[in-house]
Amino acid sequence: MSPAPTTVSPPAMLTRSRPLVVSAWAAAALVAVQFSMVAVIPVAITLVTVFRHDALRPLRWWAGALGAAYGAGLALWAIGPDRAPSLSKNLHPAHEVVIVVLGIALAVAYHALRGRRSTREPGYPA
């Protein structure tokens, strides 16, 4: 049995990924408004989306940094000896800022990369 054929997008074309953009903005917003535990869902969607699609390879460092920052805060909350009642209350304000900045940076990097590639290569659809 032969493997299923795969469709690879041209390297100059960045695929449109609404789940990535919505999840990156949502993760930043949820952490900023003190709903950090709920932000696990957008962070997971962001990581799965970026690491599953080859066209989103330039964004893997941003997504990995967002996942690592959020995961570190979640792990410190889970294994800490003095657990706060919620993740939002346990996160250091600087850690919250790092997660919010990384979420916004991932979304902006996607928009900037998509805009740059679509204007540079007129043969590919935007």
Side-chain angles (χ1 to χ4, degrees), residues 49-105:
T49 304
V50 169
F51 284 102
R52 191 164 185 200
H53 299 291
D54 285 335
L56 298 174
R57 183 178 297 265
L59 302 175
R60 286 185 180 175
W61 284 104
W62 290 108
L66 175 63
Y70 184 81
L74 188 62
L76 289 173
W77 173 75
I79 64 174
D82 228 6
R83 285 177 56 170
S86 72
L87 177 61
S88 299
K89 291 181 181 176
N90 194 55
L91 283 176
H92 190 276
H95 198 137
E96 287 183 9
V97 168
V98 167
I99 295 171
V100 170
V101 167
L102 285 171
I104 293 171

Side-chain angles (χ1 to χ4, degrees), residues 2-61:
S2 65
T6 58
T7 307
V8 178
S9 60
M13 183 175 150
L14 187 63
T15 60
R16 177 171 284 175
S17 181
R18 185 171 291 151
L20 170 68
V21 175
V22 171
S23 295
W25 285 111
L30 286 170
V31 171
V33 297
Q34 301 293 311
F35 285 103
S36 298
M37 187 58 83
V38 180
V40 72
I41 296 167
V43 170
I45 291 171
T46 300
L47 287 170
V48 168
T49 304
V50 169
F51 284 102
R52 191 164 185 200
H53 299 291
D54 285 335
L56 298 174
R57 183 178 297 265
L59 302 175
R60 286 185 180 175
W61 284 104

